[in-house]
Amino acid sequence: MTQAPQHTGTGSAHADHLLEMYRRMRRIRRFEERASELYKATEIPGFLHLSIGQEASAVGACWPLGERDGITSTHRGHGHVLAKGLDTASMMAELMGKDAGTNRGRGGSMHIADPNLGIYGANGIVGAGLPIAAGVATAAKLRAAGDVVVAFFGDGAVAQGMFHEAVNLAAVWDLPVVFLCENNHYSEFSPEAEQHRAPLSARAAGYGIGYAHVDGNDVLAVVGMMTDVVERLRQGGGPVLIEAETYRWHGHYEGDPERYRPAEEVAAAKERDPLLVARKHLADAGVSAAEADAVDEEIDKEIEAAVEWARSLPAPAPETLHDFVSAPRLTVAEPPPLPADAEIFRSMDAVRLALEHELTADPSVFVAGIDVGAGGNVFGLTRGLAQAFPGRVRDTPISESAIVGTAVGAAMAGMKPVVEIMYMDFIGVAFDMLLNQAAKLRFMTGGRASMPLVVRTQFGAGRSSGSQHSQSLEALLAHVPGLTVVMPSSPAETYGLLRAAIQDPNPVVFVENRLQYGLKGPRPEPGYVLPLGRAKVVREGTDITLVSWSRMVQDAVAAAAALAAEGISVEVVDLRTISPLDRETVLASLAKTNRLVIAHEAVRDFGVGAELAALAVDEGFWHLDAPVTRVAPPAVPAPYAPSLERAWLPSRDTIAETVRRIAAV
């Protein structure tokens, strides 16, 4: 990058700072102008949202930040990431979808990130950066290094539940985060007055945090305010909500016909051009127009060089399509069978012991969730851990999006969070943070974002918990590329797989069955870890393969034992990990038995059983001597009445009946 000419006038320190602020603003302005031109020329694909007119708030907010401090951004994030220090060349290449782009052409305009520079992602989901910022701030607080986080958002994001959840969590935990609203007075096409009835000042008071308003077009005003706020946060102050009033000159997106606002309004706003305001400050400080013009010329050359460099680069090669979806896993060998005289323990003990082991072994691990601390979890699984690991086993508000978003941000910031969603059914409340954030950020950042997090949850039908507390949703999760889904079937499996999940570099949803918390089995040695993505043959057989997972493995084994007395030899395969699916073990068993039955607790239609059936008919077709059959509940929500629930849920008897029928074909 070309070095700026040194100012030699009076008051040089102040003037040099002003000139550098102006340089950063001018860089953003010219980058955005060229991006607009390139988009119109079809050199930039996809969507493009520009921040022209908002340069002062970006530069001013990032001015007091160091490299270790973090920011999260929005779909209109070019200015924020440039102000934080990202280079224009790799960014321009990213917008053009080139392999040498900031994120290897996987993120594009709305998803630029570089955690090494404290840039934890622009985000295409409105408001999604706020819970992630809370996670980055949680990591900063746990490390106690004085780092702070700035979460940029627009006034439209205030209507999102994620805004409420993130700000409330940050307030409760006293996190070092600045929630900075760039109020440009429009939520996409809707004016601010049509979107909100309460001002941000009232909202801040409602959360019990500080609030300040600043002229977002005056970089000196923003710098002055942010310098004071950031210093207070470094000294241990809690979150602050800042409203920087500004205006976006372009439409919501490039190509927006802008029928929702008059041209006169836009023209009037341009009279407060942040660059002209900065030029006036420069003149007042004794900086000549020639020196400011020299900065303009320097930046023009820099941006043109970035454009030409990006144009010359190749696009990602088709053979790299699968790169960056998941981080490589450590190879873990299957341990030997547990001794017959091993001590007996329960699945609930396995959860607590696995968490305790990883909290002891790795200071980057922390546990968070609703009532996991003082209350020890609704089932008593984490009892005593908060006392043993002060500050690292944390109670949260009832805010599932904030809980999972905190895990996402903390993971990107180098921690290994283990967060709990009390019931699997509540995954839907936080699904964006799994679907669009945890699962995709490593891919969309070209591998720059690390995502070692675990979301623990539980499910289980059979005790009249009803339709909103009984669902087995593994197919929903397994359909999301980038997520690992684990469902253990025994106490030892729970211990070994949970430890593996916490150590894994990928986002893992770890699903326990609450009806198994009291299940007893042999207790492994403390070093016991199981491989993820590997199924296990838990009972050898020759006549038919029976595949299952979670609690239904116990029913499958019981059914197989009963059928053995009838001369039917059943091989039972426990998937253990739903995604990635161990196709090889299933196909090897099918090749041996030539028949396949699948039993699961989730409803039959569109489930994991259907995927296994498709696998059998595709890759295992020539081994099949009978139809592939599924034993599963019908496509009806889990009933409450015991009579209906018994009719809905498969049992070892219905499994045995199905296996008996297929074995006779």
Side-chain angles (χ1 to χ4, degrees):
M1 187 181 295
T2 306
Q3 293 295 314
Q6 291 297 307
H7 172 69
T8 57
T10 60
S12 61
H14 176 61
D16 286 345
H17 283 164
L18 280 172
L19 202 59
E20 179 58 28
M21 292 173 199
Y22 178 74
R23 177 179 292 107
R24 296 181 187 184
M25 292 168 63
R26 186 72 174 84
R27 178 177 291 119
I28 295 169
R29 174 69 59 86
R30 190 60 191 144
F31 184 95
E32 298 287 63
E33 289 173 344
R34 286 298 281 128
S36 178
E37 295 163 4
L38 293 165
Y39 186 79
K40 291 170 184 170
T42 70
E43 292 189 65
I44 291 176
F47 300 111
L48 191 68
H49 306 80
L50 302 181
S51 62
I52 295 175
Q54 301 181 186
E55 297 87 355
S57 56
V59 170
C62 292
W63 183 261
L65 302 183
E67 190 170 281
R68 289 193 327 190
D69 297 317
I71 68 167
T72 61
S73 183
T74 70
H75 57 276
R76 200 179 311 284
H78 304 162
H80 306 143
V81 299
L82 287 172
K84 188 60 170 66
L86 198 59
D87 69 290
T88 52
S90 69
M91 226 178 113
M92 190 64 77
E94 182 63 29
L95 265 62
M96 291 186 182
K98 300 303 181 73
D99 188 59
T102 307
N103 302 126
R104 306 295 297 270
R106 269 71 172 181
S109 171
M110 290 190 286
H111 308 113
I112 293 172
D114 186 351
N116 291 327
L117 292 176
I119 300 168
Y120 293 96
N123 210 295
I125 309 298
V126 173
L130 303 177
I132 293 172
V136 178
T138 299
K141 181 158 187 169
L142 288 172
R143 292 188 178 118
D147 302 337
V148 303
V149 183
V150 176
F152 290 98
F153 65 100
D155 51 287
V158 177
Q160 285 278 1
M162 287 184 285
F163 168 81
H164 162 77
E165 293 192 25
V167 176
N168 187 58
L169 177 71
V172 170
W173 283 3
D174 288 318
L175 296 179
V177 56
V178 179
F179 294 101
L180 196 146
C181 177
E182 291 179 305
N183 187 352
N184 60 30
H185 301 287
Y186 282 92
S187 303
E188 296 193 357
F189 309 151
S190 301
E192 178 188 14
E194 295 179 5
Q195 296 287 301
H196 313 289
R197 288 295 179 264
L200 280 175
S201 56
R203 294 177 184 274
Y207 297 117
I209 65 174
Y211 167 83
H213 180 277
V214 68
D215 180 357
N217 288 345
D218 185 340
V219 69
L220 269 188
V222 181
V223 166
M225 174 170 289
M226 283 295 295
T227 300
D228 291 342
V229 168
V230 167
E231 183 56 33
R232 288 202 302 273
L233 264 62
R234 293 199 198 284
Q235 301 304 317
V240 177
L241 178 58
I242 291 179
E243 183 175 11
E245 195 163 353
T246 182
Y247 196 87
R248 60 170 162 85
W249 290 13
H250 283 218
H252 170 57
Y253 58 89
E254 290 302 278
D256 177 1
E258 297 189 69
R259 297 188 182 95
Y260 49 88
R261 62 182 185 179
E264 297 79 11
E265 178 184 300
V266 179
K270 290 182 178 181
E271 295 177 7
R272 285 283 295 163
D273 182 345
L275 270 68
L276 293 180
V277 173
R279 279 254 189 174
K280 185 178 185 307
H281 287 312
L282 287 170
D284 292 344
V287 179
S288 69
E291 287 178 283
D293 290 344
V295 169
D296 292 352
E297 183 179 350
E298 167 203 337
I299 293 299
D300 288 349
K301 291 178 180 177
E302 175 190 327
I303 300 302
E304 287 310 305
V307 170
E308 291 308 313
W309 180 75
R311 279 174 171 161
S312 71
L313 299 171
E319 57 266 26
T320 67
L321 173 64
H322 297 275
D323 292 357
F324 313 119
V325 176
S326 297
R329 291 194 156 95
L330 295 175
T331 300
V332 176
E334 185 74 37
L338 297 175
D341 60 349
E343 179 186 348
I344 299 300
F345 78 150
R346 301 166 298 176
S347 290
M348 62 188 301
D349 304 321
V351 172
R352 182 181 55 79
L353 290 169
L355 292 174
E356 183 178 55
H357 192 289
E358 294 304 318
L359 283 162
T360 301
D362 190 342
S364 68
V365 174
F366 73 92
V367 175
I370 301 163
D371 295 327
V372 300
N377 166 276
V378 68
F379 300 103
L381 305 180
T382 58
R383 196 167 292 153
L385 292 181
Q387 293 74 29
F389 302 95
R392 293 172 59 202
V393 180
R394 308 175 70 86
D395 283 324
T396 68
I398 303 175
S399 304
E400 283 81 7
S401 288
I403 291 168
V404 182
T406 293
V408 171
M412 279 200 287
M415 305 297 284
K416 291 184 178 178
V418 183
V419 297
E420 179 181 302
I421 299 298
M422 190 179 289
Y423 284 79
M424 193 180 192
D425 313 70
F426 304 165
I427 286 286
V429 183
F431 198 45
D432 172 72
M433 284 295 151
L434 287 170
L435 169 69
N436 287 317
Q437 311 303 328
K440 292 184 173 64
L441 283 174
R442 186 175 194 277
F443 179 80
M444 291 195 303
T445 61
R448 290 192 181 222
S450 61
M451 203 54 62
L453 66 88
V454 176
V455 177
R456 278 188 52 252
T457 189
Q458 56 78 28
F459 78 109
R463 296 286 175 84
S464 290
S465 297
S467 300
Q468 295 180 346
H469 287 73
S470 304
Q471 296 171 89
S472 187
L473 301 173
E474 64 270 21
L476 185 70
L477 298 167
H479 195 67
V480 179
L483 286 184
T484 295
V485 184
V486 178
M487 298 181 75
S489 64
S490 71
E493 303 280 311
T494 299
Y495 178 83
L497 290 170
L498 181 52
R499 286 200 53 212
I502 297 171
Q503 295 174 17
D504 197 70
N506 297 292
V508 179
V509 183
F510 192 88
V511 187
E512 302 145 17
N513 190 299
R514 65 176 172 275
L515 273 66
Q516 286 195 303
Y517 282 144
L519 180 67
K520 295 179 180 179
R523 174 176 174 173
E525 293 297 319
Y528 189 80
V529 178
L530 292 171
L532 298 180
R534 290 277 302 279
K536 181 181 180 181
V537 176
V538 295
R539 181 185 175 96
E540 298 278 352
T542 56
D543 296 333
I544 193 163
T545 296
L546 176 56
V547 179
S548 192
W549 52 94
S550 191
R551 183 174 69 94
M552 202 151 281
V553 170
Q554 305 297 330
D555 288 334
V557 170
L563 290 165
E566 302 174 23
I568 302 173
S569 177
V570 180
E571 180 150 296
V572 180
V573 178
D574 179 0
L575 282 187
R576 303 196 295 192
T577 302
I578 308 303
S579 178
L581 182 63
D582 184 355
R583 293 169 167 83
E584 291 75 16
T585 296
V586 174
L587 289 170
S589 181
L590 176 61
K592 176 181 175 183
T593 68
N594 307 117
R595 288 170 170 80
L596 177 62
V597 171
I598 306 132
H600 56 77
E601 192 168 319
V603 295
R604 184 181 61 187
D605 294 12
F606 309 104
V608 177
E611 180 66 26
L612 289 166
L615 173 69
V617 220
D618 181 6
E619 298 181 40
F621 179 79
W622 299 109
H623 298 302
L624 286 172
D625 289 342
V628 179
T629 306
R630 292 166 289 164
V631 183
V636 173
Y640 168 74
S643 60
L644 295 177
E645 191 173 37
R646 283 192 298 271
W648 178 81
L649 190 63
S651 67
R652 62 187 61 182
D653 292 337
T654 53
I655 293 172
E657 180 184 341
T658 304
V659 172
R660 195 178 289 116
R661 176 169 56 84
I662 297 303
V665 173

